[in-house]
mmCIF file of all heavy atoms in Angstrom:
data_model
loop_
_atom_site.group_PDB
_atom_site.id
_atom_site.type_symbol
_atom_site.label_atom_id
_atom_site.label_comp_id
_atom_site.label_asym_id
_atom_site.label_seq_id
_atom_site.Cartn_x
_atom_site.Cartn_y
_atom_site.Cartn_z
ATOM 1 N N ASP A 1 -2.397 8.152 2.701
ATOM 2 C CA ASP A 1 -3.843 8.053 2.509
ATOM 3 C C ASP A 1 -4.663 8.749 3.587
ATOM 4 O O ASP A 1 -5.851 8.953 3.444
ATOM 5 C CB ASP A 1 -4.256 6.549 2.494
ATOM 6 C CG ASP A 1 -3.628 5.775 1.361
ATOM 7 O OD1 ASP A 1 -3.426 6.289 0.297
ATOM 8 O OD2 ASP A 1 -3.409 4.550 1.587
ATOM 9 N N TYR A 2 -3.989 9.123 4.676
ATOM 10 C CA TYR A 2 -4.745 9.608 5.847
ATOM 11 C C TYR A 2 -5.607 10.834 5.530
ATOM 12 O O TYR A 2 -6.733 10.929 5.977
ATOM 13 C CB TYR A 2 -3.755 9.977 6.969
ATOM 14 C CG TYR A 2 -3.127 8.783 7.686
ATOM 15 C CD1 TYR A 2 -3.340 7.482 7.264
ATOM 16 C CD2 TYR A 2 -2.301 8.956 8.801
ATOM 17 C CE1 TYR A 2 -2.716 6.420 7.870
ATOM 18 C CE2 TYR A 2 -1.686 7.936 9.425
ATOM 19 C CZ TYR A 2 -1.873 6.656 9.005
ATOM 20 O OH TYR A 2 -1.296 5.596 9.638
ATOM 21 N N GLY A 3 -5.068 11.773 4.763
ATOM 22 C CA GLY A 3 -5.786 13.005 4.467
ATOM 23 C C GLY A 3 -7.096 12.673 3.716
ATOM 24 O O GLY A 3 -8.160 13.208 4.047
ATOM 25 N N ARG A 4 -7.033 11.864 2.717
ATOM 26 C CA ARG A 4 -8.213 11.480 1.921
ATOM 27 C C ARG A 4 -9.201 10.662 2.808
ATOM 28 O O ARG A 4 -10.418 10.865 2.698
ATOM 29 C CB ARG A 4 -7.782 10.663 0.706
ATOM 30 C CG ARG A 4 -8.949 10.051 -0.134
ATOM 31 C CD ARG A 4 -9.863 11.104 -0.684
ATOM 32 N NE ARG A 4 -10.950 10.492 -1.409
ATOM 33 C CZ ARG A 4 -12.054 11.129 -1.707
ATOM 34 N NH1 ARG A 4 -12.208 12.415 -1.502
ATOM 35 N NH2 ARG A 4 -13.018 10.470 -2.403
ATOM 36 N N ILE A 5 -8.705 9.768 3.636
ATOM 37 C CA ILE A 5 -9.548 9.017 4.493
ATOM 38 C C ILE A 5 -10.301 9.905 5.504
ATOM 39 O O ILE A 5 -11.520 9.727 5.713
ATOM 40 C CB ILE A 5 -8.730 7.895 5.227
ATOM 41 C CG1 ILE A 5 -8.372 6.825 4.228
ATOM 42 C CG2 ILE A 5 -9.517 7.314 6.392
ATOM 43 C CD1 ILE A 5 -7.421 5.717 4.774
ATOM 44 N N LYS A 6 -9.610 10.892 6.034
ATOM 45 C CA LYS A 6 -10.282 11.818 6.944
ATOM 46 C C LYS A 6 -11.398 12.608 6.232
ATOM 47 O O LYS A 6 -12.435 12.918 6.819
ATOM 48 C CB LYS A 6 -9.260 12.771 7.573
ATOM 49 C CG LYS A 6 -8.366 12.097 8.607
ATOM 50 C CD LYS A 6 -7.550 13.058 9.438
ATOM 51 C CE LYS A 6 -6.443 13.670 8.632
ATOM 52 N NZ LYS A 6 -5.541 14.506 9.473
ATOM 53 N N LYS A 7 -11.146 12.924 4.969
ATOM 54 C CA LYS A 7 -12.216 13.598 4.173
ATOM 55 C C LYS A 7 -13.425 12.724 4.030
ATOM 56 O O LYS A 7 -14.574 13.197 4.217
ATOM 57 C CB LYS A 7 -11.638 13.962 2.796
ATOM 58 C CG LYS A 7 -12.668 14.578 1.841
ATOM 59 C CD LYS A 7 -13.135 15.982 2.330
ATOM 60 C CE LYS A 7 -13.877 16.708 1.226
ATOM 61 N NZ LYS A 7 -15.154 16.048 0.796
ATOM 62 N N ILE A 8 -13.246 11.466 3.770
ATOM 63 C CA ILE A 8 -14.372 10.498 3.647
ATOM 64 C C ILE A 8 -15.099 10.366 4.991
ATOM 65 O O ILE A 8 -16.318 10.309 5.023
ATOM 66 C CB ILE A 8 -13.884 9.171 3.120
ATOM 67 C CG1 ILE A 8 -13.334 9.284 1.679
ATOM 68 C CG2 ILE A 8 -15.012 8.118 3.104
ATOM 69 C CD1 ILE A 8 -12.717 8.036 1.150
ATOM 70 N N ILE A 9 -14.323 10.314 6.079
ATOM 71 C CA ILE A 9 -14.921 10.211 7.391
ATOM 72 C C ILE A 9 -15.765 11.445 7.664
ATOM 73 O O ILE A 9 -16.910 11.323 8.163
ATOM 74 C CB ILE A 9 -13.806 10.076 8.497
ATOM 75 C CG1 ILE A 9 -13.123 8.692 8.367
ATOM 76 C CG2 ILE A 9 -14.343 10.294 9.867
ATOM 77 C CD1 ILE A 9 -11.883 8.559 9.224
ATOM 78 N N ASP A 10 -15.259 12.630 7.367
ATOM 79 C CA ASP A 10 -16.044 13.844 7.607
ATOM 80 C C ASP A 10 -17.279 13.889 6.722
ATOM 81 O O ASP A 10 -18.370 14.316 7.161
ATOM 82 C CB ASP A 10 -15.153 15.059 7.367
ATOM 83 C CG ASP A 10 -15.849 16.375 7.781
ATOM 84 O OD1 ASP A 10 -16.613 16.316 8.786
ATOM 85 O OD2 ASP A 10 -15.659 17.414 7.145
ATOM 86 N N ASP A 11 -17.184 13.453 5.467
ATOM 87 C CA ASP A 11 -18.340 13.394 4.564
ATOM 88 C C ASP A 11 -19.399 12.476 5.123
ATOM 89 O O ASP A 11 -20.611 12.718 4.919
ATOM 90 C CB ASP A 11 -17.928 12.955 3.149
ATOM 91 C CG ASP A 11 -17.100 14.046 2.431
ATOM 92 O OD1 ASP A 11 -17.161 15.183 2.856
ATOM 93 O OD2 ASP A 11 -16.457 13.647 1.425
ATOM 94 N N THR A 12 -19.002 11.405 5.784
ATOM 95 C CA THR A 12 -19.917 10.393 6.281
ATOM 96 C C THR A 12 -20.594 10.818 7.605
ATOM 97 O O THR A 12 -21.797 10.727 7.741
ATOM 98 C CB THR A 12 -19.185 9.053 6.493
ATOM 99 O OG1 THR A 12 -18.598 8.674 5.241
ATOM 100 C CG2 THR A 12 -20.176 7.968 6.935
ATOM 101 N N TRP A 13 -19.803 11.289 8.526
ATOM 102 C CA TRP A 13 -20.313 11.614 9.883
ATOM 103 C C TRP A 13 -20.490 13.128 10.108
ATOM 104 O O TRP A 13 -20.977 13.548 11.152
ATOM 105 C CB TRP A 13 -19.472 10.985 10.968
ATOM 106 C CG TRP A 13 -19.694 9.540 11.098
ATOM 107 C CD1 TRP A 13 -20.741 8.917 11.772
ATOM 108 C CD2 TRP A 13 -18.962 8.456 10.549
ATOM 109 N NE1 TRP A 13 -20.667 7.545 11.677
ATOM 110 C CE2 TRP A 13 -19.572 7.244 10.879
ATOM 111 C CE3 TRP A 13 -17.779 8.406 9.733
ATOM 112 C CZ2 TRP A 13 -19.035 5.969 10.509
ATOM 113 C CZ3 TRP A 13 -17.265 7.188 9.361
ATOM 114 C CH2 TRP A 13 -17.900 6.005 9.736
ATOM 115 N N ASP A 14 -20.084 13.957 9.167
ATOM 116 C CA ASP A 14 -20.302 15.389 9.193
ATOM 117 C C ASP A 14 -19.806 16.079 10.467
ATOM 118 O O ASP A 14 -20.535 16.831 11.109
ATOM 119 C CB ASP A 14 -21.814 15.651 8.984
ATOM 120 C CG ASP A 14 -22.056 17.091 8.470
ATOM 121 O OD1 ASP A 14 -21.130 17.729 8.014
ATOM 122 O OD2 ASP A 14 -23.233 17.519 8.575
ATOM 123 N N PHE A 15 -18.587 15.759 10.843
ATOM 124 C CA PHE A 15 -17.960 16.458 11.983
ATOM 125 C C PHE A 15 -17.940 17.944 11.803
ATOM 126 O O PHE A 15 -18.075 18.726 12.752
ATOM 127 C CB PHE A 15 -16.541 15.938 12.244
ATOM 128 C CG PHE A 15 -16.488 14.642 12.942
ATOM 129 C CD1 PHE A 15 -16.442 13.413 12.204
ATOM 130 C CD2 PHE A 15 -16.460 14.560 14.328
ATOM 131 C CE1 PHE A 15 -16.366 12.244 12.842
ATOM 132 C CE2 PHE A 15 -16.377 13.320 14.973
ATOM 133 C CZ PHE A 15 -16.325 12.181 14.263
ATOM 134 N N SER A 16 -17.730 18.385 10.570
ATOM 135 C CA SER A 16 -17.553 19.846 10.289
ATOM 136 C C SER A 16 -18.855 20.633 10.551
ATOM 137 O O SER A 16 -18.815 21.850 10.684
ATOM 138 C CB SER A 16 -17.165 20.074 8.851
ATOM 139 O OG SER A 16 -18.027 19.419 7.930
ATOM 140 N N ALA A 17 -19.997 19.950 10.716
ATOM 141 C CA ALA A 17 -21.246 20.652 11.055
ATOM 142 C C ALA A 17 -21.257 21.135 12.489
ATOM 143 O O ALA A 17 -21.940 22.127 12.789
ATOM 144 C CB ALA A 17 -22.443 19.768 10.813
ATOM 145 N N ASP A 18 -20.489 20.456 13.345
ATOM 146 C CA ASP A 18 -20.459 20.794 14.734
ATOM 147 C C ASP A 18 -19.147 21.364 15.182
ATOM 148 O O ASP A 18 -19.093 22.019 16.249
ATOM 149 C CB ASP A 18 -20.792 19.556 15.581
ATOM 150 C CG ASP A 18 -22.184 18.980 15.298
ATOM 151 O OD1 ASP A 18 -23.178 19.737 15.389
ATOM 152 O OD2 ASP A 18 -22.255 17.806 14.978
ATOM 153 N N VAL A 19 -18.102 21.160 14.424
ATOM 154 C CA VAL A 19 -16.766 21.686 14.777
ATOM 155 C C VAL A 19 -16.347 22.595 13.667
ATOM 156 O O VAL A 19 -15.828 22.189 12.624
ATOM 157 C CB VAL A 19 -15.766 20.513 14.953
ATOM 158 C CG1 VAL A 19 -14.433 21.042 15.416
ATOM 159 C CG2 VAL A 19 -16.289 19.494 15.939
ATOM 160 N N ASP A 20 -16.566 23.948 13.901
ATOM 161 C CA ASP A 20 -16.372 24.916 12.820
ATOM 162 C C ASP A 20 -14.932 25.428 12.764
ATOM 163 O O ASP A 20 -14.583 26.235 11.852
ATOM 164 C CB ASP A 20 -17.338 26.075 12.954
ATOM 165 C CG ASP A 20 -17.314 26.688 14.308
ATOM 166 O OD1 ASP A 20 -16.435 26.356 15.105
ATOM 167 O OD2 ASP A 20 -18.147 27.628 14.581
ATOM 168 N N ASN A 21 -14.101 25.090 13.698
ATOM 169 C CA ASN A 21 -12.664 25.521 13.665
ATOM 170 C C ASN A 21 -11.859 24.464 12.944
ATOM 171 O O ASN A 21 -11.904 23.289 13.269
ATOM 172 C CB ASN A 21 -12.203 25.682 15.105
ATOM 173 C CG ASN A 21 -10.754 26.047 15.198
ATOM 174 O OD1 ASN A 21 -9.843 25.206 15.024
ATOM 175 N ND2 ASN A 21 -10.503 27.319 15.557
ATOM 176 N N ASP A 22 -11.133 24.869 11.923
ATOM 177 C CA ASP A 22 -10.416 23.901 11.068
ATOM 178 C C ASP A 22 -9.393 23.058 11.850
ATOM 179 O O ASP A 22 -9.236 21.878 11.601
ATOM 180 C CB ASP A 22 -9.733 24.645 9.895
ATOM 181 C CG ASP A 22 -10.673 25.139 8.834
ATOM 182 O OD1 ASP A 22 -11.832 24.641 8.836
ATOM 183 O OD2 ASP A 22 -10.295 25.976 7.998
ATOM 184 N N LYS A 23 -8.701 23.715 12.766
ATOM 185 C CA LYS A 23 -7.690 23.024 13.561
ATOM 186 C C LYS A 23 -8.315 21.979 14.465
ATOM 187 O O LYS A 23 -7.870 20.819 14.537
ATOM 188 C CB LYS A 23 -6.869 24.008 14.344
ATOM 189 C CG LYS A 23 -5.698 23.359 15.122
ATOM 190 C CD LYS A 23 -4.835 24.390 15.813
ATOM 191 C CE LYS A 23 -4.015 25.193 14.812
ATOM 192 N NZ LYS A 23 -3.013 26.070 15.486
ATOM 193 N N ALA A 24 -9.444 22.392 15.115
ATOM 194 C CA ALA A 24 -10.132 21.454 15.983
ATOM 195 C C ALA A 24 -10.776 20.316 15.157
ATOM 196 O O ALA A 24 -10.755 19.124 15.581
ATOM 197 C CB ALA A 24 -11.216 22.175 16.779
ATOM 198 N N LEU A 25 -11.275 20.639 13.959
ATOM 199 C CA LEU A 25 -11.845 19.623 13.116
ATOM 200 C C LEU A 25 -10.787 18.583 12.759
ATOM 201 O O LEU A 25 -11.052 17.320 12.782
ATOM 202 C CB LEU A 25 -12.386 20.247 11.822
ATOM 203 C CG LEU A 25 -12.937 19.275 10.762
ATOM 204 C CD1 LEU A 25 -14.115 18.435 11.288
ATOM 205 C CD2 LEU A 25 -13.351 20.069 9.529
ATOM 206 N N ASN A 26 -9.598 19.048 12.422
ATOM 207 C CA ASN A 26 -8.532 18.106 12.050
ATOM 208 C C ASN A 26 -8.170 17.210 13.194
ATOM 209 O O ASN A 26 -7.906 15.999 13.057
ATOM 210 C CB ASN A 26 -7.277 18.878 11.560
ATOM 211 C CG ASN A 26 -6.247 17.950 10.984
ATOM 212 O OD1 ASN A 26 -6.487 17.169 10.076
ATOM 213 N ND2 ASN A 26 -5.034 18.055 11.512
ATOM 214 N N HIS A 27 -8.123 17.760 14.421
ATOM 215 C CA HIS A 27 -7.815 16.981 15.625
ATOM 216 C C HIS A 27 -8.948 15.944 15.866
ATOM 217 O O HIS A 27 -8.644 14.794 16.230
ATOM 218 C CB HIS A 27 -7.627 17.890 16.835
ATOM 219 C CG HIS A 27 -6.302 18.575 16.889
ATOM 220 N ND1 HIS A 27 -5.125 17.886 16.794
ATOM 221 C CD2 HIS A 27 -5.983 19.878 17.007
ATOM 222 C CE1 HIS A 27 -4.097 18.765 16.891
ATOM 223 N NE2 HIS A 27 -4.587 19.957 16.982
ATOM 224 N N CYS A 28 -10.239 16.353 15.635
ATOM 225 C CA CYS A 28 -11.324 15.396 15.806
ATOM 226 C C CYS A 28 -11.167 14.220 14.868
ATOM 227 O O CYS A 28 -11.315 13.060 15.240
ATOM 228 C CB CYS A 28 -12.624 16.091 15.549
ATOM 229 S SG CYS A 28 -13.346 16.966 16.972
ATOM 230 N N LEU A 29 -10.850 14.516 13.641
ATOM 231 C CA LEU A 29 -10.699 13.467 12.632
ATOM 232 C C LEU A 29 -9.459 12.618 12.919
ATOM 233 O O LEU A 29 -9.488 11.424 12.655
ATOM 234 C CB LEU A 29 -10.611 14.093 11.214
ATOM 235 C CG LEU A 29 -11.854 14.797 10.750
ATOM 236 C CD1 LEU A 29 -11.599 15.563 9.456
ATOM 237 C CD2 LEU A 29 -13.011 13.819 10.555
ATOM 238 N N ASN A 30 -8.392 13.221 13.447
ATOM 239 C CA ASN A 30 -7.233 12.467 13.858
ATOM 240 C C ASN A 30 -7.580 11.466 14.981
ATOM 241 O O ASN A 30 -7.136 10.323 14.954
ATOM 242 C CB ASN A 30 -6.089 13.368 14.314
ATOM 243 C CG ASN A 30 -5.287 13.906 13.208
ATOM 244 O OD1 ASN A 30 -5.208 13.305 12.111
ATOM 245 N ND2 ASN A 30 -4.652 15.063 13.429
ATOM 246 N N VAL A 31 -8.337 11.923 15.989
ATOM 247 C CA VAL A 31 -8.727 11.052 17.086
ATOM 248 C C VAL A 31 -9.547 9.874 16.584
ATOM 249 O O VAL A 31 -9.308 8.714 16.897
ATOM 250 C CB VAL A 31 -9.555 11.851 18.112
ATOM 251 C CG1 VAL A 31 -10.209 10.877 19.119
ATOM 252 C CG2 VAL A 31 -8.698 12.841 18.877
ATOM 253 N N PHE A 32 -10.504 10.184 15.695
ATOM 254 C CA PHE A 32 -11.346 9.106 15.086
ATOM 255 C C PHE A 32 -10.517 8.147 14.341
ATOM 256 O O PHE A 32 -10.582 6.919 14.557
ATOM 257 C CB PHE A 32 -12.324 9.839 14.127
ATOM 258 C CG PHE A 32 -13.464 8.956 13.671
ATOM 259 C CD1 PHE A 32 -14.700 9.024 14.264
ATOM 260 C CD2 PHE A 32 -13.299 8.061 12.605
ATOM 261 C CE1 PHE A 32 -15.756 8.229 13.791
ATOM 262 C CE2 PHE A 32 -14.330 7.261 12.147
ATOM 263 C CZ PHE A 32 -15.591 7.349 12.753
ATOM 264 N N LEU A 33 -9.622 8.625 13.431
ATOM 265 C CA LEU A 33 -8.801 7.721 12.630
ATOM 266 C C LEU A 33 -7.853 6.916 13.456
ATOM 267 O O LEU A 33 -7.792 5.682 13.240
ATOM 268 C CB LEU A 33 -8.054 8.551 11.567
ATOM 269 C CG LEU A 33 -7.081 7.808 10.671
ATOM 270 C CD1 LEU A 33 -7.804 6.800 9.788
ATOM 271 C CD2 LEU A 33 -6.323 8.815 9.791
ATOM 272 N N HIS A 34 -7.083 7.506 14.274
ATOM 273 C CA HIS A 34 -6.001 6.779 14.988
ATOM 274 C C HIS A 34 -6.576 5.849 16.088
ATOM 275 O O HIS A 34 -5.950 4.879 16.390
ATOM 276 C CB HIS A 34 -5.026 7.765 15.599
ATOM 277 C CG HIS A 34 -4.177 8.455 14.554
ATOM 278 N ND1 HIS A 34 -3.170 7.820 13.828
ATOM 279 C CD2 HIS A 34 -4.183 9.734 14.077
ATOM 280 C CE1 HIS A 34 -2.615 8.653 13.021
ATOM 281 N NE2 HIS A 34 -3.231 9.789 13.127
ATOM 282 N N ASP A 35 -7.764 6.178 16.575
ATOM 283 C CA ASP A 35 -8.429 5.259 17.516
ATOM 284 C C ASP A 35 -8.696 3.955 16.813
ATOM 285 O O ASP A 35 -8.361 2.839 17.295
ATOM 286 C CB ASP A 35 -9.656 5.852 18.053
ATOM 287 C CG ASP A 35 -10.297 5.031 19.161
ATOM 288 O OD1 ASP A 35 -9.603 4.257 19.803
ATOM 289 O OD2 ASP A 35 -11.523 5.118 19.307
ATOM 290 N N TYR A 36 -9.297 4.008 15.611
ATOM 291 C CA TYR A 36 -9.634 2.799 14.894
ATOM 292 C C TYR A 36 -8.360 2.065 14.385
ATOM 293 O O TYR A 36 -8.305 0.803 14.453
ATOM 294 C CB TYR A 36 -10.537 3.127 13.733
ATOM 295 C CG TYR A 36 -11.983 3.315 14.122
ATOM 296 C CD1 TYR A 36 -12.512 4.577 14.195
ATOM 297 C CD2 TYR A 36 -12.772 2.200 14.482
ATOM 298 C CE1 TYR A 36 -13.864 4.762 14.618
ATOM 299 C CE2 TYR A 36 -14.124 2.408 14.863
ATOM 300 C CZ TYR A 36 -14.648 3.696 14.902
ATOM 301 O OH TYR A 36 -15.937 3.828 15.297
ATOM 302 N N LEU A 37 -7.397 2.822 13.940
ATOM 303 C CA LEU A 37 -6.167 2.155 13.422
ATOM 304 C C LEU A 37 -5.420 1.476 14.587
ATOM 305 O O LEU A 37 -4.791 0.415 14.382
ATOM 306 C CB LEU A 37 -5.215 3.192 12.794
ATOM 307 C CG LEU A 37 -5.673 3.657 11.406
ATOM 308 C CD1 LEU A 37 -4.726 4.724 10.918
ATOM 309 C CD2 LEU A 37 -5.664 2.477 10.413
ATOM 310 N N GLY A 38 -5.515 2.011 15.800
ATOM 311 C CA GLY A 38 -4.828 1.377 16.933
ATOM 312 C C GLY A 38 -5.414 0.059 17.313
ATOM 313 O O GLY A 38 -4.713 -0.751 17.964
ATOM 314 N N TRP A 39 -6.658 -0.225 16.890
ATOM 315 C CA TRP A 39 -7.277 -1.507 17.211
ATOM 316 C C TRP A 39 -7.370 -2.420 15.956
ATOM 317 O O TRP A 39 -8.077 -3.454 16.012
ATOM 318 C CB TRP A 39 -8.676 -1.303 17.768
ATOM 319 C CG TRP A 39 -8.648 -0.680 19.162
ATOM 320 C CD1 TRP A 39 -8.847 0.569 19.493
ATOM 321 C CD2 TRP A 39 -8.285 -1.342 20.334
ATOM 322 N NE1 TRP A 39 -8.717 0.774 20.866
ATOM 323 C CE2 TRP A 39 -8.378 -0.441 21.383
ATOM 324 C CE3 TRP A 39 -7.941 -2.680 20.652
ATOM 325 C CZ2 TRP A 39 -8.119 -0.780 22.736
ATOM 326 C CZ3 TRP A 39 -7.684 -3.008 21.982
ATOM 327 C CH2 TRP A 39 -7.767 -2.066 23.003
ATOM 328 N N SER A 40 -6.682 -2.091 14.893
ATOM 329 C CA SER A 40 -6.809 -2.839 13.668
ATOM 330 C C SER A 40 -5.505 -3.498 13.240
ATOM 331 O O SER A 40 -4.465 -2.838 13.242
ATOM 332 C CB SER A 40 -7.259 -1.916 12.522
ATOM 333 O OG SER A 40 -8.513 -1.298 12.795
ATOM 334 N N ASN A 41 -5.529 -4.800 12.946
ATOM 335 C CA ASN A 41 -4.360 -5.455 12.378
ATOM 336 C C ASN A 41 -4.550 -5.869 10.978
ATOM 337 O O ASN A 41 -3.825 -6.693 10.403
ATOM 338 C CB ASN A 41 -3.922 -6.628 13.281
ATOM 339 C CG ASN A 41 -5.058 -7.575 13.638
ATOM 340 O OD1 ASN A 41 -6.028 -7.738 12.868
ATOM 341 N ND2 ASN A 41 -4.944 -8.185 14.790
ATOM 342 N N TYR A 42 -5.597 -5.336 10.331
ATOM 343 C CA TYR A 42 -5.863 -5.470 8.914
ATOM 344 C C TYR A 42 -6.353 -4.169 8.367
ATOM 345 O O TYR A 42 -7.241 -3.551 8.958
ATOM 346 C CB TYR A 42 -6.947 -6.587 8.717
ATOM 347 C CG TYR A 42 -7.466 -6.603 7.287
ATOM 348 C CD1 TYR A 42 -6.904 -7.514 6.352
ATOM 349 C CD2 TYR A 42 -8.502 -5.791 6.835
ATOM 350 C CE1 TYR A 42 -7.349 -7.570 5.050
ATOM 351 C CE2 TYR A 42 -8.940 -5.849 5.524
ATOM 352 C CZ TYR A 42 -8.405 -6.749 4.653
ATOM 353 O OH TYR A 42 -8.808 -6.797 3.340
ATOM 354 N N THR A 43 -5.714 -3.704 7.269
ATOM 355 C CA THR A 43 -6.172 -2.482 6.608
ATOM 356 C C THR A 43 -6.119 -2.674 5.095
ATOM 357 O O THR A 43 -5.147 -3.206 4.570
ATOM 358 C CB THR A 43 -5.311 -1.256 7.000
ATOM 359 O OG1 THR A 43 -3.945 -1.541 6.682
ATOM 360 C CG2 THR A 43 -5.401 -0.990 8.492
#
């Protein structure tokens, strides 16, 4: 599900407007996703 969730995250917070490099954008979304998952015991 991670790929689709990252797409929803980008649609919501529009990281791609400020990070125009695809590789960097993917790393930004990974940081965002894994930070929240690391603090969650319910998904």
Side-chain angles (χ1 to χ4, degrees):
D1 297 328
Y2 288 3
R4 173 61 183 166
I5 287 174
K6 288 191 289 185
K7 175 66 168 61
I8 295 174
I9 290 170
D10 189 33
D11 288 344
T12 303
W13 284 280
D14 202 15
F15 281 92
S16 54
D18 298 306
V19 184
D20 54 6
N21 178 286
D22 287 345
K23 185 174 289 187
L25 174 61
N26 188 54
H27 282 306
C28 276
L29 295 171
N30 276 337
V31 169
F32 192 100
L33 175 63
H34 290 288
D35 186 25
Y36 281 104
L37 285 176
W39 290 103
S40 301
N41 48 31
Y42 170 93
T43 58

